Amino acid sequence: MYCNVGGLGGAFKTEGAATVMGLGWGGILFSFLCIIFGAVGMGSESKIPGALLTLCAIAGVILGGTFVAVFMVLAFVGGILATIGAKKKIVTTT
């Protein structure tokens, strides 16, 4: 008997339940990282937070499953926009 639901599969000690649960936790981790990098990217003039947000969104799509992937597409777009829109501050002296 093989169950695709990690928590239910873990309760009944089915084969592969630990893998499914591990992937689910990975999706949650990358979801939180997307929130963090999104907040940092809003106030940053660097392209690094946007690039990290993009990478976390890709990893979240791979690990998180279908429900997480829908929202990670939005995080991916936000990461691309944050990377493209980052401008260095021009320092002028008078």
Side-chain angles (χ1 to χ4, degrees), residues 20-33 56 59-60 63-64 72:
V20 174
M21 287 183 65
L23 292 173
W25 281 111
I28 290 173
L29 172 72
F30 284 113
S31 296
F32 284 129
L33 286 174
C56 284
L63 294 178
M72 286 295 164

Side-chain angles (χ1 to χ4, degrees), residues 32-70:
F32 284 129
L33 286 174
C34 282
I35 293 169
I36 292 168
F37 288 131
V40 170
M42 285 175 49
S44 177
E45 296 172 358
S46 174
K47 294 184 180 203
I48 294 172
L52 291 174
L53 176 59
T54 304
L55 292 175
C56 284
I58 292 170
V61 166
I62 294 169
L63 294 178
T66 307
F67 187 67
V68 175
V70 171

Side-chain angles (χ1 to χ4, degrees), residues 3 5 9 12 14 18 20 22 27 34-35 42 46 49-50 62 64-65 69 74-75 80 82 88-89 92-94:
C3 185
V5 181
F12 290 110
T14 59
V20 174
C34 282
I35 293 169
M42 285 175 49
S46 174
I62 294 169
L74 298 174
I80 290 174
K88 295 195 179 212
K89 188 175 184 179
T92 58
T93 58
T94 56

